[in-house]
Amino acid sequence: MSVTTESRAAARPAASSSTYRLSFGRLLRSEAVKLFTLRSTWWSLGVTVLLAVGIAVVVGLATQSLPDEFRDQVPLNPVTAVVSPLQLTMLVAGIFGAMAITGEYSTGMIRSTIAAEPRRGAVLLAKTIVAGATLVATTVLTSLIAIVLLTPIYGSNGFAWDDADLTWIPLGYSLLAIASVTLLGLGAGFVIRNGAGAIGATVGLLFVAPLILSIFAAFGESWRWVVDLAQYLPYNAAGTLVNGAGDDVVPALIAILAWPIAALLGGWALLRTRDA
Protein backbone atom coordinates (compact mmCIF):
# COMPACT_ATOMS: atom_id res chain seq x y z
CA MET A 1 0.00 0.00 0.00
CA SER A 2 2.78 2.42 0.93
CA VAL A 3 4.65 1.65 -2.29
CA THR A 4 1.54 2.39 -4.35
CA THR A 5 0.89 5.65 -2.53
CA GLU A 6 4.48 6.76 -2.97
CA SER A 7 4.34 5.88 -6.67
CA ARG A 8 1.21 7.98 -7.15
CA ALA A 9 2.76 10.89 -5.25
CA ALA A 10 5.89 10.72 -7.37
CA ALA A 11 3.81 10.68 -10.53
CA ARG A 12 1.86 13.83 -9.66
CA PRO A 13 4.65 16.39 -10.28
CA ALA A 14 5.43 14.88 -13.65
CA ALA A 15 1.78 15.02 -14.70
CA SER A 16 1.46 18.56 -13.41
CA SER A 17 4.60 19.65 -15.24
CA SER A 18 3.36 18.10 -18.47
CA THR A 19 -0.07 19.67 -18.13
CA TYR A 20 1.14 23.20 -17.43
CA ARG A 21 4.24 23.38 -19.59
CA LEU A 22 4.55 26.47 -21.77
CA SER A 23 3.16 25.75 -25.22
CA PHE A 24 4.11 27.82 -28.26
CA GLY A 25 0.66 29.41 -28.28
CA ARG A 26 1.13 30.56 -24.70
CA LEU A 27 4.60 31.78 -25.58
CA LEU A 28 3.14 33.89 -28.39
CA ARG A 29 0.53 35.26 -26.00
CA SER A 30 3.15 36.16 -23.42
CA GLU A 31 5.26 37.97 -26.01
CA ALA A 32 2.20 39.91 -27.17
CA VAL A 33 1.34 40.85 -23.58
CA LYS A 34 4.87 42.07 -22.92
CA LEU A 35 4.81 44.17 -26.09
CA PHE A 36 1.33 45.67 -25.84
CA THR A 37 1.44 46.53 -22.16
CA LEU A 38 4.17 49.08 -22.85
CA ARG A 39 2.96 52.65 -23.36
CA SER A 40 5.88 53.26 -25.71
CA THR A 41 4.47 50.66 -28.10
CA TRP A 42 1.12 52.42 -28.44
CA TRP A 43 2.68 55.88 -28.64
CA SER A 44 5.14 54.88 -31.35
CA LEU A 45 2.51 53.05 -33.41
CA GLY A 46 -0.04 55.85 -33.00
CA VAL A 47 2.40 58.57 -34.02
CA THR A 48 3.48 56.45 -36.98
CA VAL A 49 -0.10 56.10 -38.22
CA LEU A 50 -0.77 59.83 -37.89
CA LEU A 51 2.44 60.91 -39.61
CA ALA A 52 2.22 58.32 -42.39
CA VAL A 53 -1.40 59.17 -43.19
CA GLY A 54 -0.62 62.88 -43.02
CA ILE A 55 2.29 62.56 -45.44
CA ALA A 56 0.22 60.48 -47.87
CA VAL A 57 -2.60 63.05 -47.88
CA VAL A 58 -0.19 65.97 -48.33
CA VAL A 59 1.50 64.20 -51.25
CA GLY A 60 -1.90 63.51 -52.82
CA LEU A 61 -3.04 67.12 -52.45
CA ALA A 62 0.25 68.43 -53.81
CA THR A 63 0.07 66.13 -56.82
CA GLN A 64 -3.50 67.09 -57.66
CA SER A 65 -2.81 70.82 -57.32
CA LEU A 66 -0.01 70.87 -59.89
CA PRO A 67 -0.53 72.99 -63.04
CA ASP A 68 -1.55 71.04 -66.12
CA GLU A 69 1.82 71.56 -67.83
CA PHE A 70 3.53 69.57 -65.06
CA ARG A 71 1.05 66.73 -64.90
CA ASP A 72 2.98 64.65 -67.45
CA GLN A 73 6.12 64.84 -65.32
CA VAL A 74 4.49 63.67 -62.07
CA PRO A 75 2.90 60.21 -61.72
CA LEU A 76 -0.79 60.42 -60.90
CA ASN A 77 -1.00 56.89 -59.54
CA PRO A 78 -2.48 57.38 -56.03
CA VAL A 79 -0.57 54.35 -54.76
CA THR A 80 2.53 56.55 -55.02
CA ALA A 81 1.05 58.78 -52.32
CA VAL A 82 0.12 55.80 -50.13
CA VAL A 83 3.67 54.41 -50.14
CA SER A 84 5.39 57.81 -50.00
CA PRO A 85 5.92 57.61 -46.19
CA LEU A 86 7.82 54.31 -46.63
CA GLN A 87 11.09 55.86 -45.43
CA LEU A 88 9.43 56.97 -42.19
CA THR A 89 7.65 53.68 -41.57
CA MET A 90 10.81 51.66 -42.31
CA LEU A 91 12.70 53.75 -39.78
CA VAL A 92 10.05 53.14 -37.11
CA ALA A 93 9.89 49.44 -38.00
CA GLY A 94 13.64 48.97 -37.59
CA ILE A 95 13.69 50.77 -34.24
CA PHE A 96 10.58 48.90 -33.08
CA GLY A 97 12.13 45.54 -33.94
CA ALA A 98 15.34 46.36 -32.09
CA MET A 99 13.52 47.60 -28.97
CA ALA A 100 11.28 44.51 -28.92
CA ILE A 101 14.23 42.50 -27.56
CA THR A 102 16.82 44.96 -26.23
CA GLY A 103 14.32 46.25 -23.67
CA GLU A 104 14.30 42.78 -22.12
CA TYR A 105 18.08 42.70 -21.95
CA SER A 106 18.22 46.13 -20.29
CA THR A 107 15.67 45.16 -17.60
CA GLY A 108 16.89 41.59 -17.14
CA MET A 109 13.50 40.16 -18.13
CA ILE A 110 15.21 38.00 -20.73
CA ARG A 111 16.32 35.72 -17.87
CA SER A 112 12.69 35.12 -16.88
CA THR A 113 11.78 34.52 -20.52
CA ILE A 114 14.51 31.91 -20.96
CA ALA A 115 13.63 30.30 -17.61
CA ALA A 116 9.98 29.97 -18.68
CA GLU A 117 10.90 28.71 -22.15
CA PRO A 118 14.39 27.12 -22.31
CA ARG A 119 14.00 26.47 -26.05
CA ARG A 120 15.69 29.65 -27.20
CA GLY A 121 14.81 29.13 -30.83
CA ALA A 122 11.13 29.14 -29.85
CA VAL A 123 11.63 32.46 -28.02
CA LEU A 124 13.20 34.02 -31.09
CA LEU A 125 10.48 32.66 -33.37
CA ALA A 126 7.71 33.96 -31.09
CA LYS A 127 9.23 37.42 -30.95
CA THR A 128 9.68 37.35 -34.73
CA ILE A 129 6.00 36.55 -35.31
CA VAL A 130 4.66 39.09 -32.80
CA ALA A 131 6.92 41.99 -33.85
CA GLY A 132 6.52 41.36 -37.58
CA ALA A 133 2.74 40.92 -37.39
CA THR A 134 2.37 44.09 -35.32
CA LEU A 135 4.16 46.32 -37.83
CA VAL A 136 2.49 44.70 -40.83
CA ALA A 137 -0.95 45.17 -39.24
CA THR A 138 -0.12 48.79 -38.46
CA THR A 139 0.96 49.38 -42.05
CA VAL A 140 -2.23 47.77 -43.37
CA LEU A 141 -4.29 50.07 -41.16
CA THR A 142 -2.30 53.10 -42.26
CA SER A 143 -2.71 52.20 -45.93
CA LEU A 144 -6.46 51.67 -45.56
CA ILE A 145 -6.93 55.05 -43.89
CA ALA A 146 -4.79 56.74 -46.53
CA ILE A 147 -6.74 55.07 -49.34
CA VAL A 148 -10.06 56.21 -47.89
CA LEU A 149 -8.82 59.80 -47.60
CA LEU A 150 -7.10 59.88 -50.99
CA THR A 151 -9.97 58.44 -53.01
CA PRO A 152 -12.00 61.69 -53.13
CA ILE A 153 -8.80 63.73 -53.64
CA TYR A 154 -7.82 61.88 -56.82
CA GLY A 155 -11.37 61.62 -58.13
CA SER A 156 -11.42 60.18 -61.64
CA ASN A 157 -7.68 59.43 -61.40
CA GLY A 158 -8.34 57.09 -58.48
CA PHE A 159 -7.03 53.67 -57.59
CA ALA A 160 -6.87 51.12 -60.41
CA TRP A 161 -7.90 48.09 -58.38
CA ASP A 162 -8.17 45.99 -61.53
CA ASP A 163 -4.49 46.58 -62.36
CA ALA A 164 -2.23 44.56 -60.07
CA ASP A 165 0.98 46.16 -61.36
CA LEU A 166 -0.22 49.65 -60.48
CA THR A 167 -1.94 48.91 -57.18
CA TRP A 168 -1.73 45.54 -55.48
CA ILE A 169 1.90 44.70 -56.17
CA PRO A 170 3.38 48.01 -54.88
CA LEU A 171 1.18 47.83 -51.78
CA GLY A 172 2.23 44.23 -51.18
CA TYR A 173 5.90 45.06 -51.57
CA SER A 174 5.54 47.92 -49.08
CA LEU A 175 4.24 45.43 -46.50
CA LEU A 176 7.12 43.09 -47.28
CA ALA A 177 9.61 45.94 -46.79
CA ILE A 178 8.13 46.82 -43.39
CA ALA A 179 8.22 43.19 -42.23
CA SER A 180 11.80 42.82 -43.50
CA VAL A 181 13.13 45.87 -41.67
CA THR A 182 11.26 44.98 -38.47
CA LEU A 183 12.91 41.57 -38.39
CA LEU A 184 16.26 43.08 -39.36
CA GLY A 185 16.05 45.33 -36.29
CA LEU A 186 14.97 42.37 -34.14
CA GLY A 187 17.92 40.30 -35.35
CA ALA A 188 20.29 43.19 -34.66
CA GLY A 189 18.83 43.44 -31.16
CA PHE A 190 19.49 39.75 -30.47
CA VAL A 191 23.07 40.10 -31.75
CA ILE A 192 24.02 43.37 -30.03
CA ARG A 193 21.74 43.17 -26.94
CA ASN A 194 21.91 46.92 -26.43
CA GLY A 195 19.15 49.35 -27.44
CA ALA A 196 21.34 52.21 -28.65
CA GLY A 197 23.74 49.86 -30.43
CA ALA A 198 21.03 47.86 -32.19
CA ILE A 199 19.14 50.99 -33.26
CA GLY A 200 22.36 52.62 -34.47
CA ALA A 201 23.31 49.55 -36.49
CA THR A 202 19.83 49.27 -38.04
CA VAL A 203 19.51 52.96 -38.90
CA GLY A 204 23.07 53.01 -40.19
CA LEU A 205 22.40 50.09 -42.53
CA LEU A 206 19.12 51.61 -43.71
CA PHE A 207 20.09 55.23 -44.31
CA VAL A 208 23.79 55.91 -43.67
CA ALA A 209 25.30 53.04 -45.68
CA PRO A 210 23.51 54.05 -48.95
CA LEU A 211 24.85 57.60 -48.62
CA ILE A 212 28.41 56.41 -48.02
CA LEU A 213 28.36 53.97 -50.93
CA SER A 214 26.90 56.60 -53.27
CA ILE A 215 30.01 58.75 -52.74
CA PHE A 216 32.04 56.24 -54.76
CA ALA A 217 30.14 57.29 -57.90
CA ALA A 218 32.51 60.28 -58.09
CA PHE A 219 35.59 58.03 -58.24
CA GLY A 220 35.02 56.70 -61.75
CA GLU A 221 34.00 53.41 -63.31
CA SER A 222 36.61 51.43 -61.39
CA TRP A 223 34.52 52.00 -58.25
CA ARG A 224 31.18 51.52 -59.93
CA TRP A 225 30.79 48.07 -58.35
CA VAL A 226 30.64 49.69 -54.90
CA VAL A 227 27.79 51.94 -56.04
CA ASP A 228 26.00 48.92 -57.49
CA LEU A 229 26.22 47.17 -54.13
CA ALA A 230 24.15 49.97 -52.62
CA GLN A 231 21.16 48.78 -54.64
CA TYR A 232 21.03 45.65 -52.51
CA LEU A 233 20.84 47.48 -49.19
CA PRO A 234 17.41 47.21 -47.51
CA TYR A 235 16.07 50.70 -48.23
CA ASN A 236 17.22 50.80 -51.86
CA ALA A 237 15.91 47.28 -52.48
CA ALA A 238 12.54 48.28 -51.02
CA GLY A 239 12.41 51.32 -53.30
CA THR A 240 13.16 49.15 -56.31
CA LEU A 241 10.33 46.77 -55.45
CA VAL A 242 7.73 49.43 -54.71
CA ASN A 243 8.60 51.46 -57.82
CA GLY A 244 8.72 48.37 -60.05
CA ALA A 245 12.15 48.77 -61.61
CA GLY A 246 11.84 46.06 -64.27
CA ASP A 247 14.67 43.51 -64.34
CA ASP A 248 16.02 44.67 -60.96
CA VAL A 249 12.97 43.37 -59.08
CA VAL A 250 14.22 39.80 -58.58
CA PRO A 251 17.64 40.78 -57.11
CA ALA A 252 15.90 43.37 -54.92
CA LEU A 253 13.41 40.74 -53.71
CA ILE A 254 16.25 38.37 -52.82
CA ALA A 255 18.05 41.17 -50.97
CA ILE A 256 14.99 42.28 -48.97
CA LEU A 257 14.50 38.68 -47.80
CA ALA A 258 18.18 37.90 -47.21
CA TRP A 259 18.91 40.77 -44.79
CA PRO A 260 16.41 39.80 -42.05
CA ILE A 261 17.14 36.09 -42.49
CA ALA A 262 20.87 36.70 -41.98
CA ALA A 263 20.25 38.92 -38.95
CA LEU A 264 17.87 36.45 -37.30
CA LEU A 265 20.15 33.47 -37.96
CA GLY A 266 23.01 35.39 -36.38
CA GLY A 267 20.82 36.27 -33.41
CA TRP A 268 19.66 32.66 -33.06
CA ALA A 269 23.24 31.34 -33.14
CA LEU A 270 24.39 33.76 -30.45
CA LEU A 271 21.26 33.25 -28.34
CA ARG A 272 21.98 29.52 -28.19
CA THR A 273 25.66 29.83 -27.32
CA ARG A 274 25.87 32.61 -24.73
CA ASP A 275 24.26 33.38 -21.41
CA ALA A 276 21.04 35.39 -21.25
Side-chain angles (χ1 to χ4, degrees), residues 249-260:
V249 167
V250 173
L253 182 59
I254 294 173
I256 207 71
L257 294 174
W259 282 106

Side-chain angles (χ1 to χ4, degrees), residues 205-217:
L205 183 61
L206 286 176
F207 303 115
V208 179
L211 293 176
I212 294 176
L213 295 185
S214 66
I215 295 174
F216 287 86

Side-chain angles (χ1 to χ4, degrees), residues 41-136:
T41 296
W42 294 105
W43 276 106
S44 59
L45 295 179
V47 170
T48 300
V49 171
L50 290 176
L51 288 178
V53 171
I55 292 172
V57 171
V58 169
V59 170
L61 291 172
T63 302
Q64 289 300 93
S65 64
L66 285 172
D68 292 339
E69 58 267 25
F70 294 108
R71 288 297 181 90
D72 294 336
Q73 303 175 24
V74 178
L76 293 179
N77 182 11
V79 172
T80 303
V82 176
V83 300
S84 60
L86 187 61
Q87 185 173 17
L88 168 67
T89 50
M90 287 180 70
L91 173 62
V92 174
I95 294 174
F96 186 90
M99 293 304 296
I101 178 59
T102 56
E104 288 200 39
Y105 279 109
S106 64
T107 61
M109 186 180 288
I110 187 66
R111 297 186 185 92
S112 300
T113 301
I114 298 301
E117 177 50 270
R119 297 174 300 173
R120 301 191 176 197
V123 172
L124 184 144
L125 179 59
K127 287 186 178 293
T128 297
I129 293 173
V130 171
T134 299
L135 264 296
V136 168

